[in-house]
Amino acid sequence: MAETPVHIPVMLERTLELLAPALEREGAVLVDATLGLGGHAEAALERHAGLTLVGLDRDTDALARAGERLAAFGDRVHLVHTVYSGLRTALDGLGIESVSAVLFDLGVSSMQLDQAERGFAYAQDAPLDMRMDRTRSVTAASILAEYPEDELRRIFYAYGEEKLAPRYARRIVQARAEHPIERSSQLVDLIAQATPRAVQRAGHPAKRVFQALRIEVNGELEALEAALPAALDALALGGRIVVLAYQSLEDRIVKRELAARTRSTAPSGLPIELPEHRPEFALLVRGAELADDAERARNPRAVPVRLRAAERVREAA
């Protein structure tokens, strides 16, 4: 495997600060649901000597690299090859009923971005792959080859929030009738040709299309919608969750789920709130917290991050 630079994890100190009260408990278990290269996990294990880690990742390359990085922690570390929606199944397989903390660091990982051959970056020519889990068969190239025009339009709208979705979908269908679209440079050129000059000045025209394809290839939003409830349900009393999201679609899902879990379920008009109607969770930060200026300057990948966090304050009914 080619060497991949080790990157500073985004909002590392703030994440560990928020999780610390849960990780300091005897027998604490942390689920890193998006292990990546293991930066957050390594720091947590170093600071909390009694901590057990369950690391999940769909990317087998990431698991291998994180396994090497975390090998010194021995049997305190359990790595599982699964998308984060498989969190409950992974815990059941390890005989773990509840956990102390869960971390989600969403989106494409540093390693995946840095490996040009993975096809995630529109700025580098590579095969249009974009699979986080390379054991799966669907790629960005296969989507561009097989999806009808209306489906391409739908994913560009829904997952890229792209206003020019109809124009791009139509151009792709026209182009693929002449030759396969298999490399990122081909797709970038197609999009550039179909983009009005005035729009091009507003930013790279391929950014939102590449995001939409990546989300579709990996089923990211559907996985997140299943994973968040499972993660919250797995938290013991006093357990904490931190979620780092990098684009608005992910953040809306996180915001919606945490809002639902931090609201009272008491019917309106009830004179008092019964214990079983009290919220199960309390928010730990107001709204979405951003990286500070110093971290943004040091680590450009922290610029778009939105952090949300919550603590279980009542057992589930």
Side-chain angles (χ1 to χ4, degrees), residues 1-316:
M1 282 187 268
E3 286 297 318
T4 300
V6 175
H7 295 270
I8 301 169
V10 171
M11 296 188 78
L12 175 63
E13 293 303 323
R14 182 57 172 149
T15 296
L16 293 181
E17 176 188 11
L18 287 165
L19 294 179
L23 301 185
E24 290 166 353
R25 297 180 172 193
E26 184 177 352
V29 176
L30 166 66
V31 177
D32 188 335
T34 49
L35 185 64
L37 291 172
H40 287 103
E42 181 182 48
L45 288 162
E46 287 175 345
R47 298 187 193 190
H48 302 281
L51 179 65
T52 295
L53 172 80
V54 177
L56 314 180
D57 209 293
R58 67 176 88 192
D59 190 325
T60 53
D61 290 353
L63 280 175
R65 293 176 187 274
E68 293 172 3
R69 184 175 190 170
L70 304 176
F73 298 102
D75 60 6
R76 294 172 59 198
V77 174
H78 305 276
L79 305 185
V80 183
H81 176 224
T82 183
V83 65
Y84 34 74
S85 55
L87 183 148
R88 183 67 261 171
T89 301
L91 293 178
D92 289 343
L94 295 168
I96 298 173
E97 183 176 348
S98 63
V99 301
S100 310
V102 180
L103 170 65
F104 287 90
D105 187 8
L106 300 170
V108 63
S109 74
S110 297
M111 183 194 74
Q112 291 160 346
L113 284 171
D114 289 334
Q115 293 178 327
E117 70 275 11
R118 303 292 291 271
F120 287 102
Y122 53 79
Q124 297 173 300
D125 184 37
L128 281 165
D129 190 323
M130 300 194 193
R131 291 173 296 171
M132 294 178 177
D133 181 352
R134 290 197 278 188
T135 66
R136 297 175 63 84
S137 59
V138 175
T139 66
S142 68
I143 288 172
L144 292 173
E146 298 167 10
Y147 277 30
E149 183 177 333
D150 62 338
E151 273 297 287
L152 290 173
R153 186 168 60 245
R154 179 191 65 80
I155 66 171
F156 296 162
Y157 267 140
Y159 301 152
E161 301 181 291
E162 176 53 69
K163 295 177 181 178
L164 296 177
R167 182 190 292 251
Y168 293 154
R170 183 167 57 252
R171 184 70 187 93
I172 287 166
V173 170
Q174 291 169 347
R176 77 186 185 192
E178 300 174 11
H179 51 75
I181 305 169
E182 296 177 337
R183 300 192 65 84
S184 54
S185 59
Q186 290 176 274
L187 180 58
V188 168
D189 288 345
L190 279 173
I191 293 170
Q193 292 165 16
T195 305
R197 193 176 299 276
V199 177
Q200 291 192 31
R201 290 196 290 268
H204 200 295
K207 180 178 180 180
R208 289 182 291 274
V209 170
F210 270 66
Q211 173 181 297
L213 286 169
R214 191 201 80 217
I215 290 172
E216 177 71 6
V217 167
N218 298 289
E220 292 176 48
L221 300 186
E222 295 92 339
L224 182 59
E225 287 175 336
L228 281 173
L232 292 167
D233 290 343
L235 285 173
L237 189 64
R240 294 188 165 201
I241 185 170
V242 170
V243 184
L244 303 171
Y246 296 82
Q247 40 99 344
S248 59
L249 298 172
E250 292 171 337
D251 186 54
R252 284 175 208 155
I253 293 171
V254 178
K255 179 181 179 180
R256 183 173 64 243
E257 184 65 29
L258 292 184
R261 296 295 190 108
T262 54
R263 279 197 303 261
S264 171
T265 59
S268 59
L270 221 60
I272 59 169
E273 182 184 53
L274 299 174
E276 60 267 27
H277 292 307
R278 290 174 187 158
E280 293 180 30
F281 289 84
L283 296 177
L284 295 172
V285 299
R286 175 176 291 189
E289 200 168 286
L290 308 178
D292 61 28
D293 291 341
E295 177 159 7
R296 289 173 174 227
R298 183 175 65 250
N299 185 1
R301 287 175 181 164
V303 171
V305 72
R306 300 172 176 91
L307 178 151
R308 296 183 188 272
E311 178 181 7
R312 179 179 283 281
V313 293
R314 180 175 71 81
E315 293 280 12

